[in-house]
Amino acid sequence: MSISRRQFLGWMGAAGMTGATAATARAATQRQFSGYKDSKGVLHDITRCIGCRRCEAACNRVNDLPGPDQPFDDLTVLDRKRRTTSGAYTVVNRQDAGDDRSPRFIKDQCNHCLEPACASACFVNAFTKTPEGAVVYNADVCVGCRYCMIACPFEIPAYEYHKALDPRVMKCTLCHPRLLAGKLPGCVAACPTEALVFGRREELLAVARERVRAFPDRYVNHIYGEHEMGGTNWLYLSDTPFAQMGLREDLGTTPAPKLTSGALGAVPIVVGLWPVLLTGVYAINRRKEKIAAEEQAMAVERALGQANSEAEAKMADAMKKADEEKSAAVEREVKNALSAAAKAAENEKKENAAPSEKEA
Amino acid sequence: MPQEANQAPAKYFTPFNIVAGIIVVVGIIITVLRFTRGLGTVTHLSDNNPWGIWIGFDLLVGVALAAGGYVTSAAVYIFGLKRFHAAVRPAILTGFLGYALVVLALHYDVGRPWRLPYPFLVSRGTTSLLFEVAACVALYLTVLFIEFSPAALEWLGANRARRLVVKLTLVLTIFGVMLSTLHQSSLGALFLIAPSKLHPLWYSSYIPIYFFITSIIAGLSMVIFESSLSHRYLAHKMDAGHLAAKKDVTLGFGKAAAWVLAGYFFIKVIGIAVDNNWHYLATGYGAWYLVELLGFIALPAFTYAIGVREGNTTLIQWTSAWTVLGIVVNRFNVSLVAFNWHLPAEARYFPHWMEIGISVFIVTIGLLVFRFIATRMPILHAHPDYEAH
């Protein structure tokens, strides 16, 4: 019988220990996952986006999402900042570029992290990073705890709060089924200005670098997504600081799983150490109690023994005294008796002598 | 065992029962709404705020306040502090009910509650700290049930089964401390994955340790707090031993709480220093952090210590209530107040009244079940036919 690694880890996990062993192994080696080779992604060049929302419309169509509250060609929607929802995997936002420049537009959707926070956080493995690059979600195992939404640094996963019995987490799939069928993601196919370019992530990085090199005055010298949270398959180029475009620049480059690997690594230590330490504490206390009880017994015995011997000595003393008194009394009695006897003998002598005197 | 309580005619329409009855009725109505119309109808949860008070209060506070079970049983059975023996059963019962109610509350919060066993049976997400929490809570709930069972078995007169369970006491206690260490800390570690969302004053790589230490503080304080309530309302169910043990327990646990709070204060300060977060203390969030640090950690550490030195059990009892409130404040800060601090005010979360309704409903169920059990089973008194274990 062959056991797959997955199965084995599963069993270990059931014992409540694995996450830890797997995670510490990674933490210990300092190895960083730089993405599946040949995985695909999208380069979003913010300078080319005109905010037409055709990507939103295409996304809605190819993913069979519910119709929008306002039609997709209604650009007044852009007046307020939006985020992804259970009905919209992607949204375009207009951002003020400052300095009398025209506003810029930025498309928001799942960034498909190389090491996704959602997948790391999910306690039923509902999220999978596919070798093609997409992070996909499996509603069949989802419990609906929404920890993925807590974990996601880009605030992407949304939830069907109004479904009572079968709510799902909803997010962009990078059109994974379309990719497998050899098609482009819906949004990329619909983009009229090539603000979205689909391709191998490595090639996209090369393209982005080339653009920055060719137009150094135009672009911010940073490819957002190359290293953020360990890197993402969705990449951004901009002529305006990313923070101003609503992308957080304080996320750091640590992949999400690393943030929790230390805590998970503590699990086997606690599991291994605690029973030993606590049993030790218990045993020490038991021993202390036992020794205390023994010492108490010994002390009692000693005290008793001492009392006994004292009593014996006293008794012996008393006996001796009594003996002495007794012998003295006997002596006295004997003396008395003797003296009495002597007296009697004398008296008799006298009596005997008196008649003889008379006789004489 | 005092008999007069059993013979007195039962009064059902006491003020407590009426209020509890109303809460239960409202709770049932909200329950129906939750499972017919979804979370969107009864909560203010949103895509930005996926966790509300059902996680912040029912789960995080609930688990912390149920820590009295492992703290007390460890003190008595492992550390050999037998003079606190009278506190064990009430603490275990509170712990067991606490965890049972946490699991009940999760059924409201998660989308598909019947899938709660999935992490163990269907698809194991072992890289998740939530997996660790789920596994430990499930196991610990079982442990607490077994630890609690001798009281029920004495009540039922199942002597043989009781003897068997009592033999397991030490093993169960050690297992319970281990599981509690793991999941109490993991509840804090849940937030390690979101450094970009939790305010730096509350986010720390020490957060699992903070959660574990505060669980000890919560456990000690809850035992004191609860014993003061029990002595007030359930004294007629107590035997001489339990009545006499109260002062010992209050002073002993108060002393321990003072020390642990003092230690916690220092590691919190070290946490600020390690991350060099001093400058945040001058902000609005910093002021609120100082309220927590000075008002709910330093102050009770001090008043506990004074109470113990002067033998003032009243002060210790008030301090325990204040400390329990401090635990609530801390868990709310981490999960709600300081979480998503970067979002604009209109995107922040405030609970719907029906969310509060369910939380109150669940606490009420806890009180009712505790009263039901404590008035019937040998919790606050020793069973005359059985020796203490």
Side-chain angles (χ1 to χ4, degrees), chain B residues 8-246:
Chain B
K11 271 204 291 185
Y12 290 108
F13 290 97
T14 61
F16 175 83
N17 285 0
I18 292 169
V19 173
I22 293 169
I23 292 171
V24 168
V25 169
V26 173
I28 290 170
I29 294 169
I30 304 173
T31 305
V32 172
L33 280 176
R34 154 69 185 89
F35 288 105
T36 51
R37 304 242 188 117
L39 287 170
T41 308
V42 298
T43 71
H44 277 165
L45 297 176
S46 64
D47 291 330
N48 280 330
N49 302 290
W51 285 357
I53 60 164
W54 289 352
I55 296 296
F57 182 77
D58 298 20
L59 174 66
L60 298 184
V61 174
V63 167
L65 297 190
Y70 89 85
V71 171
T72 313
S73 56
V76 172
Y77 295 127
I78 297 176
F79 292 91
L81 304 171
K82 296 203 171 110
R83 64 183 190 279
F84 302 138
H85 190 269
V88 171
R89 279 197 177 175
I92 294 274
L93 175 60
T94 317
F96 171 57
L97 292 179
Y99 277 85
L101 294 173
V102 163
V103 174
L104 174 66
L106 286 178
H107 283 74
Y108 285 83
D109 188 77
V110 304
R112 309 191 206 202
W114 54 93
R115 285 186 177 176
L116 278 171
Y118 271 32
F120 317 116
L121 304 177
V122 177
S123 180
R124 286 170 287 271
T126 50
T127 57
S128 173
L129 276 154
L130 198 58
F131 180 87
E132 190 190 328
V133 171
C136 291
V137 168
L139 286 171
Y140 189 47
L141 182 60
T142 317
V143 166
L144 278 169
F145 175 72
I146 304 174
E147 284 188 306
F148 158 72
S149 65
L153 293 171
E154 285 171 16
W155 182 54
L156 296 168
N159 197 9
R160 247 220 205 125
R162 179 197 175 272
R163 256 204 317 260
L164 184 75
V165 177
V166 165
K167 275 192 189 140
L168 294 173
T169 302
L170 178 67
V171 176
L172 288 173
T173 304
I174 290 176
F175 202 45
V177 175
M178 184 185 91
L179 292 169
S180 296
T181 311
L182 289 175
H183 71 261
Q184 294 283 3
S185 60
S186 300
L187 283 174
L190 287 178
F191 294 92
L192 282 177
I193 205 162
S196 59
K197 295 184 182 175
L198 184 56
H199 190 282
L201 280 172
W202 282 273
Y203 185 92
S204 162
S205 52
Y206 295 150
I207 198 170
I209 298 169
Y210 293 160
F211 266 56
F212 175 58
I213 304 287
T214 43
S215 82
I216 298 174
I217 296 166
L220 293 167
S221 301
M222 268 306 273
V223 169
I224 299 170
F225 180 58
E226 189 203 291
S227 114
S228 68
L229 291 185
S230 296
H231 276 78
R232 187 150 183 186
Y233 298 108
L234 291 168
H236 58 285
K237 289 288 162 196
M238 296 186 174
D239 58 18
H242 280 70
L243 288 169
K246 184 194 169 200

Side-chain angles (χ1 to χ4, degrees), chain A residues 25-26 57 143 170 191 248 267 271 277 296 305 310 319-320 338:
Chain A
R26 177 166 29 210
V143 181
M170 304 292 276
C191 183
R248 293 187 64 169
V267 175
V271 171
L277 283 176
Q296 195 178 15
E310 267 171 26
M319 289 291 275
K320 205 170 150 199
L338 281 176

